[in-house]
Amino acid sequence: MTDPYRHHPGLRGQIKPAEESFFRDMDLAYFDKQIVEAGGDPDWRYTDEVREAMRRRILDGHWDDDIWIFAYGSLMWDPAMIFTEVRRAHAANVTRSFCMWDEDARGSRAQPGLMLGIDAGEGCDGLAFRIARDQIDHETFVLFRREMVTDGYNAVWTTLSTDHGEIKGLAFVVDRAVEKICPDIPMDQQARMIAVAEGMIGTNFEYLDNMRRHLAMLNLRDPYVDDLYERVTALRSD
């Protein structure tokens, strides 16, 4: 069997095996129950049928060969997918952005938080995972159940640069047509929101801190994330 880490042996041990990931067998009914009990919208997510239709549509014409998935956030260290190769990758026309308004997971109606996406910008370094042709169906089912659970993202094919050649990868880019996507929040306001927001699964600061730490572990730097972290920690120390 070919070593998935053959190009980047330093990533070995930094990426959680699929069988250890919570997202591998995630039960959406559990979240349905939690959200309803918290007074949230019972129709908060896509139906399974709608999500599956979107998955089939984006994969049309891509079933006959291996595919690549671009990861820029938690997918990098916890992809929940079985992959045959990982490469460091650069997407030229997007950038990380805390632009997804959150009143549930890491925020509340009283103190909304912000979750990370990628939006149009000057470039983003991340990882690309190769999914073998005979595993595309199940692995993308796992992926879409996690990334396309609700509106906010568009799944798109994009060109990725790697040290071992240019590839096409599937990426999840924020959908600016969705109301909760807020791309123009000033940095100071982003910091103020993240400093205090807390939701069902924890604080917004924990989310930001986890992102920054894992980027460092993977030997990736993002000046935007570093700047935002410094602003938030300064606010929290006052």
Side-chain angles (χ1 to χ4, degrees), residues 58-140:
I58 195 67
L59 290 171
D60 186 37
H62 294 272
W63 295 100
D64 295 333
D65 201 356
D66 297 356
I67 64 169
W68 291 91
I69 309 297
F70 181 62
Y72 60 86
S74 61
L75 277 178
M76 292 189 295
W77 59 86
D78 186 10
M81 297 176 292
I82 295 171
F83 57 91
T84 60
E85 183 180 351
V86 59
R87 296 184 187 179
R88 296 188 182 276
H90 180 81
N93 298 315
V94 293
T95 191
R96 289 182 183 86
S97 175
F98 278 85
C99 63
M100 184 175 289
W101 198 268
D102 175 25
E103 297 181 357
D104 296 302
R106 300 279 183 175
S108 65
R109 293 179 184 178
Q111 293 182 322
L114 295 170
M115 303 294 280
L116 184 74
I118 48 173
D119 194 13
E122 297 179 353
C124 178
D125 291 320
L127 300 179
F129 296 98
R130 183 199 288 265
I131 309 299
R133 179 179 61 183
D134 61 352
Q135 295 179 313
I136 289 174
D137 196 15
H138 185 66
E139 299 310 313
T140 58

Side-chain angles (χ1 to χ4, degrees), residues 47-57 137 140-141 144:
T47 66
D48 296 344
E49 293 76 15
V50 167
R51 189 177 64 254
E52 274 294 282
M54 291 189 295
R55 182 175 75 95
R56 293 285 171 179
R57 186 164 54 248
D137 196 15
T140 58
F141 171 83
F144 270 65

